[in-house]
Amino acid sequence: MNCPKCQSTQIIKYGHTHYGKPRFRCQACGRQFVEDATRQPIEDATRQLIDKLLLERLALAAIARVTGVSQRWLQMYVNQKFYQTPKTIEVTQKNQVG
Ligand SMILES: [Zn+2]
């Protein structure tokens, strides 16, 4: 498992969320996070297929069904690809954690 922020593998367990999911903390950057299904590894071939389907202007729900990825992951992927605003995202996430 890698840190979602800095990709470090220096991850320690850090209690649980209210929903009983194990929570983790990155010792490198201090980021706290929950292991998430949206972080499932997606193969390059699948990403390339998704890129093609996006160009066809298919709905995200349809692309998710065809490629077998979760809609949440797909939304995140599209956001990263087309709306890269890392600083804004980082601030938002910190507010949510607090
Ligand atoms: Zn980190």
Side-chain angles (χ1 to χ4, degrees):
M1 182 167 42
N2 290 33
C3 171
K5 185 178 176 186
C6 71
Q7 306 304 316
S8 165
T9 55
Q10 294 178 271
I11 307 300
I12 59 170
K13 277 199 174 181
Y14 202 69
H16 291 81
T17 68
H18 293 301
Y19 304 101
K21 277 188 172 182
R23 183 161 53 188
F24 300 92
R25 184 173 186 274
C26 172
Q27 291 183 293
C29 72
R31 171 72 182 271
Q32 291 172 36
F33 59 95
V34 177
E35 192 172 18
D36 198 316
T38 59
R39 287 191 50 73
Q40 63 189 287
I42 307 295
E43 292 179 11
D44 284 348
T46 303
R47 291 169 190 263
Q48 286 167 14
L49 177 60
I50 289 169
D51 288 348
K52 282 184 187 172
L53 295 174
L54 287 171
L55 287 174
E56 297 293 332
R57 297 179 179 277
L58 282 182
L60 292 189
I63 296 176
R65 279 198 303 273
V66 169
T67 58
V69 304
S70 71
Q71 283 191 47
R72 279 185 64 193
W73 181 89
L74 186 59
Q75 184 67 63
M76 181 196 72
Y77 178 73
V78 171
N79 288 349
Q80 282 182 351
K81 200 171 184 64
F82 296 107
Y83 309 106
Q84 287 186 335
T85 54
K87 283 189 177 174
T88 305
I89 288 170
E90 188 175 315
V91 170
T92 303
Q93 286 174 338
K94 272 184 184 168
N95 289 343
Q96 284 175 347
V97 169

